[in-house]
Amino acid sequence: MVQQYSLEDSLGHILGRTVRSLGARLHRNFANAGYDLTCEQWGLLRRLDRNNGVNQQELAVTSCKDKTSMVRLIDGLEKR
């Protein structure tokens, strides 16, 4: 007997939904506390706090982002 494959029951799909749900909740908590901060920016601030003096290249590698995305993220954080 062949089992039917269900995308909704796959581990990847469930994990993706979980990550989006946690991100949305974190964003709501930031907004309720009066912080104009995205989840990505919060992650960047945590990396900077834990690795004082780290450069942009190292931040990009540890964040799994390319250099251009990292510059955009830092620029957005500076504006906020």
Side-chain angles (χ1 to χ4, degrees):
M1 179 186 228
V2 178
Q3 286 186 338
Q4 289 273 341
Y5 177 77
S6 170
L7 177 64
E8 290 78 25
D9 294 333
S10 72
L11 181 58
H13 184 74
I14 293 168
L15 285 174
R17 285 188 3 223
T18 302
V19 166
R20 285 189 302 277
S21 177
L22 288 172
R25 180 177 208 134
L26 185 59
H27 184 71
R28 261 192 324 273
N29 289 346
F30 286 148
N32 290 339
Y35 296 111
D36 183 21
L37 191 66
T38 68
C39 297
E40 274 189 316
Q41 289 170 339
W42 175 72
L44 177 61
L45 289 174
R46 284 187 46 90
R47 282 184 192 81
L48 287 170
D49 182 53
R50 292 180 179 197
N51 301 299
N52 193 17
V54 68
N55 63 35
Q56 282 187 11
Q57 177 63 35
E58 293 172 59
L59 283 173
V61 170
T62 59
S63 301
C64 299
K65 297 200 176 297
D66 59 37
K67 292 178 187 180
T68 305
S69 297
M70 184 55 59
V71 168
R72 242 184 265 125
L73 183 59
I74 292 170
D75 287 346
L77 188 55
E78 286 179 337
K79 288 177 185 174
R80 288 177 178 207

